[in-house]
Amino acid sequence: MSANFSILADMSIEKALETIPSGLFVVDRNMRVVYWNAAAARITGFSASDAVGQHCSFLQGIPCGEGCGLYNMEIPKPIIGARCTIVTKSGETINLLKNMEYLRNETGEIIGGIESFTDVTNERILEDSLRQHALKLEARVKERTAELERSEANFRAVLDNMDDMAYIATDGYRLSFMNRAMIDLFGDRTDELCHLVLHDEVEPCHWCPMTRVFSQRTVRDERQFGNHGRLYEVIHTPLPSEDGVRKKLAVCRDITERKLAELSLSEANRELDAFAHSISHDMRGILAPVVTYMDFLRQAYANVLDEQVLQILGEVEHQSERAIALLDDLLDLAQVGHIPPSNTPTDVNKIVNEVLNELQIEHSDRCTVHCELLPQTWVPETLVYQLFANLIGNACNYVPIDCGPIEVGCWQEKNRVIYFVRDHGPGIPNKEVESIFNIFFRGKISKGVRGTGIGLAIVRKIALRCQGEAWVEKTPGGGATFCVAFPMTPVAAH
């Protein structure tokens, strides 16, 4: 005899039933309780003495009143996973999950029934809560879906009413939407490959911006579509996706006329620069002898001519010199557009030292210049020289001796370097800041200071030509700080 058999032999059925965690009771053929285990007492609150001998309906269960089905021969046995509610001894209604089966004697006759049950009240509450939450979530999803559908409909309506062409492409290079302007030009070719429709290319374009767009970047480029002979500025942007399919929106603006106008304007500017250069050069050739003749007359006939005549000759000479200075500045301004881009970086420190050495001849007693170490630039040497000659020269001319040193320095931000010339002089009045770089403009503080009003215009033209910008700021404590920003990478002429 095995040890397991010995354990089973020593254990009565009643002891075994008392140890199971599920409630369990046995009824006779009249549905009266004949056995009630400890778990049944714990779950219902009714002890064995309360239950045994009672009809099982004393639990006030639902659907007990309608018949539990134990002795209904039309219901297959065993019954597994039936649900019902009962009222406990304390009056609390609880939910039960139960199983039922017949009890038979040795001859197979039904002599009673057995039912086991567990309290699933908490699980039922949780299920109800989850069901309500699911219903609310489903309603919210439907509401959100409707909102998205309305939003998408409005979005597509806006795109359809644009004069600019617009399309949406998926990450599989398929057109999922074409607006009215796009369809007017290409026909409705939705669901076709974008590179085939737009560029007659069988494979995706080698310059396709799709990867950059899906890195959450806005990409701008200029493209021609097919053989239509028009040039478009295309702005590609990523679109949020609800279905997991990545998409990009491309808005295409026809810039053919604008480009033609830009080319025409660029050509006109080149012609204007050439004309100004030619006129300035010729006029300088005419005025230079006038200065020489006036000086000769004053020197040679100083003892013959009266004082008034000598003053007139001197004024003619002075005005001719001013005209020559103006023409020299105009030549510099015109020359800015004709200097080719640099193929090598320019040593800015060397150029600034050359400027300082030349200015010391005129300003050795007027100002002190402090210059920090400056990084190289791709701006041509000639333009760098004109830039700092004008900015440092202006500071030396306008800043009184007792106003502190002139500072030349720089700082870097993102992909550009900003050079500055800072003084601690009278500064620029607020109302003159917007006009300070205009050609021939001279502010209030320029009275009595020699100049033509072209120097700062040259500075701005150099900045714009080299894809930069120029501006002026107030120096803390008083004065002006002139700033010029240039890209750190090689620049092309504009």
Side-chain angles (χ1 to χ4, degrees):
M1 180 182 296
S2 68
N4 292 338
F5 183 81
S6 176
I7 292 173
L8 294 175
D10 292 339
M11 180 182 293
S12 68
I13 293 177
E14 185 174 349
K15 285 183 179 180
L17 295 178
E18 288 296 321
T19 61
I20 63 176
S22 299
L24 185 142
F25 64 92
V26 176
V27 296
D28 60 16
R29 288 281 303 180
N30 297 318
M31 300 295 291
R32 293 191 177 277
V33 178
V34 297
Y35 175 75
W36 190 264
N37 78 344
R42 173 177 55 78
I43 294 172
T44 66
F46 292 102
S47 65
S49 60
D50 293 330
V52 173
Q54 297 269 12
H55 190 278
C56 65
S57 62
F58 83 94
L59 293 172
Q60 302 180 42
I62 298 175
C64 288
E66 303 169 4
C68 69
L70 175 62
Y71 291 124
N72 186 339
M73 296 302 176
E74 295 180 0
I75 300 176
K77 304 299 182 299
I79 299 174
I80 305 296
R83 289 181 178 270
C84 73
T85 60
I86 66 166
V87 179
T88 65
K89 189 173 183 179
S90 64
E92 178 186 4
T93 299
I94 62 174
N95 294 279
L96 299 182
L97 184 68
K98 63 184 182 180
N99 303 320
M100 292 176 283
E101 176 61 296
Y102 295 134
L103 291 176
R104 300 175 185 270
N105 61 17
E106 294 178 354
T107 63
E109 179 185 1
I110 297 174
I111 60 174
I114 186 169
E115 178 176 322
S116 65
F117 58 88
T118 56
D119 184 358
V120 293
T121 305
N122 291 334
E123 290 84 346
R124 184 66 178 270
I125 293 173
L126 181 59
E127 287 177 3
D128 289 342
S129 175
L130 290 174
R131 189 177 298 107
Q132 291 299 320
H133 179 71
L135 291 173
K136 290 180 180 179
L137 184 60
E138 183 179 357
R140 179 57 184 156
V141 168
K142 289 181 179 178
E143 180 184 349
R144 179 59 178 159
T145 301
E147 289 176 0
L148 289 173
E149 289 175 351
R150 288 193 298 271
S151 176
E152 183 176 357
N154 291 336
F155 176 63
R156 291 179 179 243
V158 169
L159 293 180
D160 257 338
N161 285 282
M162 289 171 53
D163 291 330
D164 297 329
M165 293 192 300
Y167 68 88
I168 297 174
T170 68
D171 55 2
Y173 304 102
R174 291 201 173 272
L175 295 171
S176 63
F177 172 79
M178 299 172 70
N179 76 341
R180 173 189 50 78
M182 200 88 180
I183 292 174
D184 288 345
L185 186 63
F186 291 93
D188 189 355
R189 301 182 66 179
T190 307
D191 291 331
E192 294 188 41
L193 296 171
C194 58
H195 48 83
L196 185 62
V197 173
L198 303 178
H199 304 288
D200 297 324
E201 296 285 347
V202 177
E203 298 295 330
C205 308
H206 67 275
W207 43 261
C208 181
M210 196 79 78
T211 302
R212 287 174 290 162
V213 171
F214 291 149
S215 298
Q216 300 302 310
R217 293 172 54 188
T218 296
V219 179
R220 296 173 180 266
D221 61 11
E222 295 179 3
R223 296 292 167 194
Q224 286 186 326
F225 294 141
N227 299 317
H228 299 291
R230 310 294 293 178
L231 183 65
Y232 295 88
E233 179 185 47
V234 188
I235 303 176
H236 309 266
T237 54
L239 284 181
S241 173
E242 295 292 331
D243 54 6
V245 178
R246 296 186 300 176
K247 300 176 182 178
K248 79 169 178 72
L249 168 67
V251 177
C252 317
R253 171 156 293 181
D254 191 334
I255 58 171
T256 308
E257 280 74 22
R258 190 184 82 188
K259 278 296 182 181
L260 292 174
E262 287 178 358
L263 290 174
S264 177
L265 180 61
S266 178
E267 181 62 30
N269 283 335
R270 281 194 292 269
E271 292 176 359
L272 183 60
D273 281 345
F275 176 75
H277 186 277
S278 175
I279 292 298
S280 298
H281 183 272
D282 293 345
M283 290 298 294
R284 194 184 192 287
I286 294 172
L287 289 171
V290 173
V291 174
T292 302
Y293 294 152
M294 293 303 103
D295 183 59
F296 171 75
L297 290 174
R298 286 196 304 109
Q299 296 295 331
Y301 298 97
N303 298 327
V304 177
L305 300 173
D306 60 33
E307 187 64 28
Q308 185 178 7
V309 174
L310 290 174
Q311 287 180 357
I312 292 173
L313 292 176
E315 183 62 24
V316 172
E317 182 180 357
H318 174 65
Q319 293 300 332
S320 298
E321 288 175 345
R322 285 189 60 190
I324 290 173
L326 178 61
L327 292 171
D328 285 341
D329 285 347
L330 286 172
L331 281 169
D332 288 340
L333 184 64
Q335 188 181 19
V336 169
H338 296 281
I339 296 175
S342 178
N343 294 322
T344 57
T346 298
D347 186 342
V348 179
N349 295 289
K350 184 184 76 171
I351 301 298
V352 171
N353 286 333
E354 290 177 4
V355 171
L356 295 178
N357 288 334
E358 293 186 14
L359 289 175
Q360 278 182 350
I361 299 174
E362 293 186 59
H363 306 288
S364 57
D365 297 328
R366 282 194 50 81
C367 59
T368 302
V369 179
H370 291 171
C371 184
E372 64 182 54
L373 189 63
L374 303 172
Q376 294 180 326
T377 179
W378 289 92
V379 178
E381 288 187 3
T382 303
L383 300 184
V384 174
Y385 178 87
Q386 289 182 339
L387 180 77
F388 283 102
N390 280 294
L391 292 179
I392 299 174
N394 273 0
C396 290
N397 284 330
Y398 288 99
V399 176
I401 298 174
D402 57 351
C403 286
I406 296 166
E407 303 168 32
V408 181
C410 73
W411 77 86
Q412 296 181 5
E413 61 178 30
K414 294 183 180 178
N415 59 345
R416 66 179 190 169
V417 58
I418 295 92
Y419 299 96
F420 67 83
V421 175
R422 176 178 295 130
D423 66 59
H424 302 275
I428 309 296
N430 290 335
K431 62 182 180 180
E432 294 183 2
V433 168
E434 296 297 326
S435 307
I436 196 69
F437 290 98
N438 291 349
I439 189 169
F440 301 129
F441 178 83
R442 304 197 74 200
K444 286 185 177 181
I445 64 172
S446 64
K447 292 181 179 179
V449 179
R450 294 179 60 184
T452 61
I454 299 178
L456 291 178
I458 292 175
V459 170
R460 181 175 65 175
K461 186 171 182 180
I462 290 171
L464 295 177
R465 178 189 181 277
C466 298
Q467 302 175 29
E469 61 176 320
W471 70 94
V472 63
E473 301 175 352
K474 289 185 178 297
T475 300
T481 300
F482 285 88
C483 305
V484 183
F486 292 119
M488 292 183 183
T489 52
V491 295
H494 275 206

